[in-house]
């Protein structure tokens, strides 16, 4: 099989940190947080899965994408809730359904772990991502999103 989706393991830290750096700097044009901080985050999630979990997509053994899922709690549903914080496929592999397969994998994980549901946010102009989310049953929230940046 040409692709494999699985949870992150310790030996994935260097390549995952590089993919996360590319996602942050190249995709979002955000300042580079540094490989060291990214490796620390990955290690923290490996050590504390109750905070979050990461998945990677491999193409013939090479990491080509990842997803980061954080966990919070829904008071209304009295259950844990998932936040899909990141879903990224390297540009040269986009358009080949790897993102869809990764999202389906994440949704299956969320359902199997008895989460109340999953939320995510994306830029209004990211039509490609919005089409993907809607094609798999994602719906725009009735809630209004606010944020504070410090």
């Amino acid at each position: 099989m040409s692709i494999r989706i699985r949870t992150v393991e310790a030996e994935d830290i260097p390549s995952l940190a590089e993919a996360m750096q590319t996602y942050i700097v190249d995709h979002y044009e955000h300042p580079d947080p540094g490989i060291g901080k990214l490796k620390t985050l990955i290690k923290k999630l490996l050590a504390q899965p109750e905070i979050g979990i990461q998945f990677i997509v491999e193409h013939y053994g090479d990491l080509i994408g990842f997803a980061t899922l954080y966990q919070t709690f829904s008071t209304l549903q009295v259950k844990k809730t998932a936040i899909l914080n990141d879903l990224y496929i390297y540009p040269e592999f986009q358009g080949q359904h790897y993102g869809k397969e990764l999202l389906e994998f994440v949704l299956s994980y969320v359902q199997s772990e008895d989460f109340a549901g999953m939320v995510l946010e994306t830029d209004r102009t990211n039509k490609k991502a919005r089409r993907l989310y809607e094609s798999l049953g994602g719906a725009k929230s009735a809630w209004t999103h606010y944020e504070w940046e410090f």
Side-chain angles (χ1 to χ4, degrees):
M1 178 178 214
S2 64
I3 76 153
R4 179 178 170 214
I5 301 172
R6 61 176 176 80
T7 57
V8 170
E9 298 170 0
E11 57 269 10
D12 300 316
I13 293 171
S15 59
L16 178 56
E18 287 178 24
M20 291 173 72
Q21 184 180 45
T22 298
Y23 169 72
I24 292 165
V25 176
D26 296 347
H27 180 72
Y28 278 107
E29 299 176 352
H30 197 275
D32 186 348
I35 287 288
K37 286 184 178 180
L38 293 170
K39 287 180 179 180
T40 298
L41 172 60
I42 298 164
K43 289 175 187 174
K44 182 175 187 166
L45 294 176
L46 284 170
Q48 297 176 287
E50 69 278 4
I51 295 172
I53 188 168
Q54 292 182 292
F55 305 97
I56 61 169
V57 182
E58 293 176 317
H59 182 262
Y60 292 105
D62 294 325
L63 187 148
I64 64 162
F66 70 94
T68 306
L69 193 66
Y70 291 106
Q71 183 174 306
T72 188
F73 202 82
S74 169
T75 305
L76 295 176
Q77 294 177 306
V78 194
K79 281 181 141 181
K80 58 188 177 181
T81 300
I83 302 169
L84 181 60
N85 204 73
D86 313 302
L87 189 142
Y88 180 70
I89 302 293
Y90 279 120
E92 60 268 30
F93 293 96
Q94 292 177 7
Q96 299 175 50
H97 302 288
Y98 299 132
K100 181 180 181 184
E101 290 185 46
L102 178 56
L103 182 56
E104 288 173 334
F105 187 92
V106 170
L107 287 167
S108 177
Y109 171 84
V110 168
Q111 289 176 318
S112 72
E113 293 295 316
D114 197 33
F115 282 77
M118 183 177 83
V119 296
L120 62 85
E121 62 184 25
T122 192
D123 189 292
R124 289 183 198 115
T125 63
N126 193 344
K127 293 179 183 178
K128 192 163 130 181
R130 290 173 45 206
R131 274 194 309 273
L132 170 62
Y133 304 144
E134 291 169 11
S135 77
L136 294 177
K140 291 181 186 173
S141 176
W143 296 89
T144 300
H145 178 85
Y146 293 91
E147 66 183 27
W148 286 257
E149 289 191 23
F150 301 102

